[in-house]
Amino acid sequence: SMQGRLVHVGLWSCAPRVLRMAASSFQRAQQSHMQEIYSSAILSVTPSNLIHRAVLFDKNKGLLTVNDKEYSVDRNVRVVAFGKAGLGMAASIQHILDDHIIEGVASVPVGSRDRALPSNLPKSSRIRVFEGAPHNLPDSTAEQAAHEALSLVRRASDDDIILVLVSGGGSALLPCPPKGVTLQEKREAVEFLGKAGASIRELNAFRRCVSQTKGGRLVEAAYPTKMLCLVLSDVIGDPLDVIASGTTVPNPTPPSQVLRVLDRFGRDGIAPSIIRHLEALEQAEAGGAWAFPHVQNVVIGNSRTAIDTAAETAKRLGYTTCVWSSCVEGEARAVGELYAGLVRAMLGRDAMDVGRVVE
């Protein structure tokens, strides 16, 4: 009938608008889901969540447990925190152990206290905060914090526990050149080697050997006091000798190897005080590197933590998930194009086949 045709035409004319509304609603749902997935990943690697997940403290028994290893706590904890997450990690440990912390030093980036107001340390805390290393470059404030940290671990007794909280950026925030070498001389040497073409591995090896804290020197200064190191990794593969220049593990690079690097690029660009230090260190360490039986190193968070959380959230929201890798390196644009290509492939073929190709 005429009325039927009018109704039919009316519905047909409304169809594009209905489809647009449906598409818009679908897009909003997707955006909401993407935001939820992203937020869950970020929250999973916040210092507070990571610390509370890794550390168990029985107040009644006075037992601190990390990875099934127990520490007897009775107002005998000294804290050293350094890195971009240092303030948040220190505040979380303060919340857990409270007055069992007898002193501490936290070396964090400039502006950390302003950016992290909810997770700042309480005024009653015995952990002193130093804000330094602007633009991720070591400065006098960070150097002062490093000296304070060294003094702290050296005066610890055998009954104490030194709790070290390590995160990305820690290398610039705990600079402590050896005696006779200035921070400026070391910075100029690193700049010279970088411009001459030294690799990041060679630069890290140099930093470790020309330091009183890096390359395990902080641990040596604390011996034989027990040391528990909680590490938030920002390096693929979690190599402890690379994260924050390896303050809590033995130095894998002998001074002789660093001297060979300097010979290759030219010693003329290096301060004589640094050359003398490395030559003396070569003689002193001829017998081999230290072992650290008094230290427990625990990686409490890394990129895999965030990735796995994102995958779990996506699966809960009804998405089919596939974690291709947590070790992707490269220029962001190139990696993005790779992932876009993989997604296009998955839309055109069985996802399991793509998974097998990626593996």
Side-chain angles (χ1 to χ4, degrees):
S1 66
M2 180 65 70
Q3 184 179 4
R5 285 197 296 273
L6 287 173
V7 170
H8 177 75
V9 171
L11 289 174
W12 183 254
S13 65
C14 289
R17 184 163 59 88
V18 172
L19 290 173
R20 286 196 299 272
M21 290 174 62
S24 178
S25 176
F26 177 71
Q27 288 175 346
R28 285 197 299 271
Q30 277 194 318
Q31 289 173 352
S32 176
H33 288 170
M34 294 304 103
Q35 183 62 48
E36 186 173 347
I37 293 168
Y38 173 78
S39 296
S40 70
I42 296 300
L43 284 172
S44 72
V45 288
T46 58
S48 176
N49 285 336
L50 291 172
I51 292 288
H52 282 85
R53 193 182 304 146
V55 174
L56 297 176
F57 181 52
D58 188 325
K59 293 183 179 180
N60 296 324
K61 295 181 180 179
L63 282 179
L64 176 69
T65 305
V66 177
N67 277 12
D68 298 324
K69 186 169 183 177
E70 295 180 339
Y71 298 85
S72 181
V73 172
D74 184 16
R75 292 178 172 81
N76 60 338
V77 178
R78 301 174 191 267
V79 175
V80 175
F82 51 98
K84 295 176 183 177
L87 186 59
M89 295 175 81
S92 298
I93 283 295
Q94 179 71 62
H95 180 262
I96 294 170
L97 298 179
D98 197 22
D99 59 358
H100 288 291
I101 298 174
I102 55 177
E103 69 169 328
V105 172
S107 183
V108 299
V110 171
S112 292
R113 281 178 285 199
D114 293 335
R115 290 192 297 268
L117 289 176
S119 58
N120 267 336
L121 289 161
K123 292 182 179 180
S124 59
S125 175
R126 295 187 177 94
I127 300 174
R128 291 172 292 154
V129 178
F130 296 81
E131 294 189 56
H135 310 295
N136 203 36
L137 294 173
D139 65 349
S140 58
T141 302
E143 185 178 20
Q144 181 188 356
H147 281 288
E148 294 290 343
L150 266 179
S151 297
L152 180 151
V153 301
R154 284 170 176 160
R155 61 176 168 264
S157 70
D158 292 356
D159 296 325
D160 287 341
I161 301 165
I162 299 173
L163 189 53
V164 183
L165 309 173
V166 185
S167 57
S171 182
L173 286 159
L174 211 69
C176 194
K179 293 179 180 178
V181 177
T182 68
L183 181 60
Q184 184 62 28
E185 286 173 335
K186 185 176 178 180
R187 283 184 57 170
E188 289 174 354
V190 171
E191 184 178 356
F192 166 78
L193 290 171
K195 289 181 178 178
S199 68
I200 186 64
R201 289 183 178 274
E202 290 168 334
L203 291 174
N204 284 337
F206 176 83
R207 290 187 180 102
R208 285 193 296 265
C209 283
V210 187
S211 176
Q212 295 187 68
T213 52
K214 298 174 175 62
R217 297 296 181 185
L218 186 71
V219 173
E220 290 179 15
Y223 185 81
T225 303
K226 294 183 293 294
M227 182 177 278
L228 169 60
C229 307
L230 305 181
V231 182
L232 177 49
S233 171
D234 66 336
V235 182
I236 290 175
D238 307 331
L240 293 174
D241 62 299
V242 175
I243 302 168
S245 296
T247 50
T248 61
V249 293
N251 187 357
T253 310
S256 57
Q257 186 172 326
V258 175
L259 284 168
R260 286 196 294 272
V261 171
L262 300 189
D263 287 335
R264 193 165 85 250
F265 292 111
R267 295 192 181 192
D268 292 344
I270 308 297
S273 58
I274 293 178
I275 304 295
R276 288 194 296 270
H277 164 74
L278 289 170
E279 290 173 342
L281 195 63
E282 183 181 23
Q283 295 297 320
E285 295 191 353
W290 275 56
F292 296 156
H294 60 302
V295 180
Q296 180 188 14
N297 283 291
V298 181
V299 176
I300 63 172
N302 52 23
S303 61
R304 186 78 202 198
T305 307
I307 291 169
D308 287 344
T309 302
E312 291 169 6
T313 304
K315 191 176 296 183
R316 177 174 55 79
L317 291 170
Y319 293 91
T320 299
T321 63
C322 174
V323 176
W324 285 318
S325 176
S326 62
C327 301
V328 176
E329 293 184 80
E331 200 273 324
R333 182 183 297 276
V335 173
E337 290 174 353
L338 168 65
Y339 276 116
L342 289 169
V343 170
R344 284 194 296 269
M346 289 184 70
L347 292 174
R349 60 193 292 186
D350 189 285
M352 292 304 294
D353 289 339
V354 176
R356 283 193 287 271
V357 171
V358 173
E359 290 173 357

